[in-house]
Structure formats: C-alpha cells, structure tokens
Amino acid sequence: MGKLKSLQVLNLANNSFSGPIPVALSHLSNLKYLNLLGNRLSGQIPSELNQLVQLEELDLSVNNLTGSISLFNTQLKNLQTLVLSNNDITGSIPSNFCLRNSNLQQLFLHQNNLS
C-alpha cells in the first residue's frame, strides 16, 4: 500500500487489523486523511508517520496502542485533527503541540494513561 503515492484519503476504520501500524504507510507522501479507528492495532505509534507532511487528519483511536506520543507538530505542520483516544498511551502531551504557528484545531486524547 505504501506505493500508492497519489493516495490522499485512507479510511480503514472498524476492521480487524492487528499488530503494529505498518511503517509503509509513511511512504504515502500525499496522504491528507488517515483513519485507523476501531481496529486491534498494537505497539507504539511509529515515528515514521511524521513523514506524512501533507496530513490534515489522523485518527488512531480505539486500538491497543502503547508508549508515548511520537508525533511532532513541527513536522506535521498541516495537521488539524489528531485523535488518539481509547488506547493505552503513556507519558505526557508533547510540548510541541502547543506551538504558536500550529494548525492543530482538534486534539482528542481521552481514555489513555497520560500524565
């Protein structure tokens, strides 16, 4: 799937995908919308997703994701909506989410283990 360079929208919500989020998704250089909500994805959020610089909306909610938030607003400059709710994410909210030039409009982090 990482070879679909022109792909802008990928919605795989509410399926039975399991295992880690495929790093190959980071090769979808024109992707603006990625929805993996409601699967059985596990492991950490791959830092390679920071390469999706066109991304505007990302929903990884209702999975079994762990670890800290490894997404950086300094690289995802077009990101407007980030939904990571209902996972087992730990750590703190990255300070780069609060930058003055951020385009982030919606941030959903409820039902995790953030501190």
Side-chain angles (χ1 to χ4, degrees), residues 7 15 27 30 44-45 72 99 101 108:
L7 193 67
N15 281 289
H27 300 284
N30 286 307
Q44 297 191 8
I45 300 168
F72 301 104
L99 297 176
N101 61 349
F108 299 95

Side-chain angles (χ1 to χ4, degrees), residues 30-84:
N30 286 307
L31 202 62
K32 294 184 178 193
Y33 176 88
L34 176 58
N35 189 341
L36 300 176
L37 166 144
N39 283 285
R40 296 181 199 138
L41 297 169
S42 59
Q44 297 191 8
I45 300 168
S47 60
E48 289 85 355
L49 292 185
N50 287 300
Q51 297 172 25
L52 298 173
V53 296
Q54 300 300 321
L55 201 61
E56 296 174 2
E57 294 186 37
L58 176 61
D59 191 340
L60 303 177
S61 61
V62 193
N63 280 289
N64 298 309
L65 299 173
T66 59
S68 59
I69 300 171
S70 58
L71 300 170
F72 301 104
N73 221 18
T74 52
Q75 292 170 285
L76 299 173
K77 295 182 189 295
N78 293 317
L79 192 65
Q80 297 173 11
T81 303
L82 176 61
V83 187
L84 301 175

